[in-house]
């Protein structure tokens, strides 16, 4: 039998005093998180939607994939095992990845993909973040089915800056293709035309009642109680479309964007771009009709050139057991497909809390300024081939500053860390357009682009301002630009061409919204600021998958700082090899 020690009251008091002093001196001991372990088996699974059964890539057989739940300060380890024929990598969208760039996930940027039969453990700590993020595949179009929520709760005993909800519900918008999405994008590469569009949108993997004879049985239902507050964690995982969203006869209070709390505001309709997350509070009716139901619906916002999935996905908000067929419920009235004015007005309502607990640390001075045009262009059709781009001699492409990015065959971060960059990338990405023109007016005659693997180099802690200017070369449209490894402050937005003499005076440097995915307005511009305090190679790209596939992407190389905690550590031993 084991022995135990009985402590005298004076000795016990002394030990308690020492323990209290230790917690005061080392507060991280009291607030340190735990390590949470997950295992992702990437495997094939037969799934049926819209009367059509197909084999898709899944995590642990689930579509959408499983939730990752952690608290601010926790360490997260996800062991990814590739059991499918495709090469795979996973990106933890919106996680800052401070000194853990090896875990960011974009293929050929921070890692080579995980090959068939291989395993890689993604290992990172959630630092200074709480809210809704998500994870997804980051190679080709595999994120069509490989995605799921990443929920970061506040530290224990730290409340939300709003009323505690009765329940929290992730709602993920996606797209469903009856066809194989890899075949869809590969066909586009061959023909030079825009890819075929999806067969439906989905809510939590389900298309809802407005499609075909099978879809009413494939409908997401949110069962609620009267007079309660629900936190809806909205995620747009759709490949190629901004989406409007509304719940019939209910209003929503927006409280968070991209895992950053904002000043709350009410709306009946919201818009969310691919890559973005938005947390909203839904207050249910105190005295609804008995067993009543209401439709929630989403459909695209689109101003570009070409075809798109002009359909509506619906789910059901259900009190009690419900008493109506979904086909008999009125569909919420959503803005017109091309409602750019509504989108601009909605975007203007986002403001950071900017208080003592959640400050908005906006860079007040700028050391490096950049002006990036974003939009479409053309590449020549290969000889002896007819293409289906803007002309039969050209193929669609997409660019930043007229450079269409070519993915290397060796990961950029690995080549930089090993100092073997020759032939992998160059550091001459243009800081401004090489040719100036009327960006949102009459397009230039020459729509041909340059192609290359070029990055921008920043010294550690450089304060940066980037103006992102949409172009109308082949039609103006919005572009959700996602910067890995950072949040950025959206200090200004506007329509038309950015005016460097007038527009900076209107920048919001007090409480601008802080995001990881910024929607560049259709036919307009957005200005962002950030501080380059995270060493590594960080991808920046349009989150329309078709635009990223066509080359609308670039990378920032942030050099190490002088102190040990400002340096990128060596790669893990199991980092996949090319």
């Amino acid at each position: 039998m084991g022995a135990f020690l009985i402590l005298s009251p004076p000795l016990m008091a002394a030990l308690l005093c020492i323990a209290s002093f230790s917690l005061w001196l080392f507060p991280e001991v009291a607030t340190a998180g735990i390590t949470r372990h997950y295992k992702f088996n990437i495997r094939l699974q037969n799934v049926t939607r819209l009367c059509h059964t197909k084999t898709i890539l899944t995590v642990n057989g689930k579509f959408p994939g499983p939730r990752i739940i952690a608290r601010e300060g926790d360490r997260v380890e996800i062991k990814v095992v590739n059991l499918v024929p495709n090469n795979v990598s996973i990106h933890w969208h919106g996680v800052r990845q401070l000194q853990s760039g090896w875990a960011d996930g974009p293929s050929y940027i921070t890692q080579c993909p995980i090959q068939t039969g291989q395993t890689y453990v993604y290992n990172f700590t959630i630092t200074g973040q709480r809210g809704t993020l998500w994870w997804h595949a980051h190679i080709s179009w595999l994120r069509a089915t490989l995605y799921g929520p990443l929920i970061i709760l506040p530290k224990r005993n730290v409340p939300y800056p709003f009323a505690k909800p009765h329940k929290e519900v992730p709602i993920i918008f996606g797209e469903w293709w009856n066809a194989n999405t890899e075949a869809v994008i590969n066909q586009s590469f061959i023909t030079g035309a825009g890819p075929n569009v999806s067969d439906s949108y989905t809510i939590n993997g389900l298309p809802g009642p407005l499609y075909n004879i099978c879809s009413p049985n494939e409908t997401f239902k949110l069962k609620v109680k009267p007079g309660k507050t629900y936190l809806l964690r909205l995620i747009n995982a759709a490949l190629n479309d901004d989406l409007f969203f509304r719940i019939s006869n209910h209003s929503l209070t927006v409280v968070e964007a991209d895992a950053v709390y904002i000043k709350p505001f009410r709306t009946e309709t919201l818009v969310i771009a691919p890559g973005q997350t938005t947390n909203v509070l839904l207050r249910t009716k105190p005295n609804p009709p008995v067993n009543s139901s209401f439709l929630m619906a989403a459909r695209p916002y689109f101003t570009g050139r070409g075809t798109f999935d002009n359909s509506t996905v619906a789910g059901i908000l259900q009190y009690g057991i419900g008493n109506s067929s979904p086909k008999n419920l009125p569909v919420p009235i959503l803005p017109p497909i091309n409602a750019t004015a509504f989108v601009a007005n909605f975007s203007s309502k986002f403001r950071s809390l900017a208080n003592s607990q959640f400050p908005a640390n906006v860079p007040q001075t700028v050391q490096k300024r950049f002006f990036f045009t974003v939009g479409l262009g053309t590449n020549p059709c290969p000889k002896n081939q007819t293409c289906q781009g803007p002309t039969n001699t050209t193929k669609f492409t997409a660019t930043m500053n007229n450079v269409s990015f070519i993915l290397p065959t060796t990961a950029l971060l690995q080549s930089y860390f090993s100092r073997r960059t020759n032939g992998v990338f160059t550091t001459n990405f243009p800081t401004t357009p090489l040719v100036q023109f009327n960006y949102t007016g009459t397009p230039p005659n020459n729509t041909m682009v340059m192609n290359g693997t070029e990055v921008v180099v920043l010294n550690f802690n450089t304060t940066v301002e980037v103006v992102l200017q949409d172009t109308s070369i082949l039609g103006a449209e919005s572009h959700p630009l996602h910067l890995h490894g950072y949040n950025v402050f959206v200090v200004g937005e506007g329509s038309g061409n950015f005016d460097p003499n007038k527009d900076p005076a209107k920048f919001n440097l007090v409480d601008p919204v802080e995001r990881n995915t910024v929607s560049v307005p259709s036919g307009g511009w957005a200005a962002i600021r950030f501080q380059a305090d995270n060493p590594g190679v960080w991808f920046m790209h349009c989150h329309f998958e078709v635009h990223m596939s066509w080359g609308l992407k670039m990378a920032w190389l942030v050099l190490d700082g002088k102190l040990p905690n400002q340096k990128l550590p060596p790669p893990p031993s199991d980092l996949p090899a090319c």
Side-chain angles (χ1 to χ4, degrees), residues 178-198:
N178 288 334
N180 183 314
T181 51
E182 294 302 280
V184 169
I185 185 57
N186 288 337
Q187 180 70 12
S188 174
F189 287 148
I190 293 170
T191 65
N196 290 338
V197 301
S198 60

Side-chain angles (χ1 to χ4, degrees), residues 138-199:
H138 212 301
I139 182 170
S140 192
W141 279 27
L142 298 188
R143 79 171 178 90
T145 60
L146 289 176
Y147 63 84
L150 197 168
I151 297 170
I152 307 170
L153 302 173
K155 293 180 179 179
R156 290 195 179 278
N157 302 318
V158 176
Y160 295 129
F162 46 80
K164 183 179 180 180
H166 171 69
K167 190 176 182 180
E168 303 182 8
V169 184
I171 293 182
I172 312 178
F173 305 108
E175 291 179 85
W176 172 263
W177 271 264
N178 288 334
N180 183 314
T181 51
E182 294 302 280
V184 169
I185 185 57
N186 288 337
Q187 180 70 12
S188 174
F189 287 148
I190 293 170
T191 65
N196 290 338
V197 301
S198 60
D199 293 278

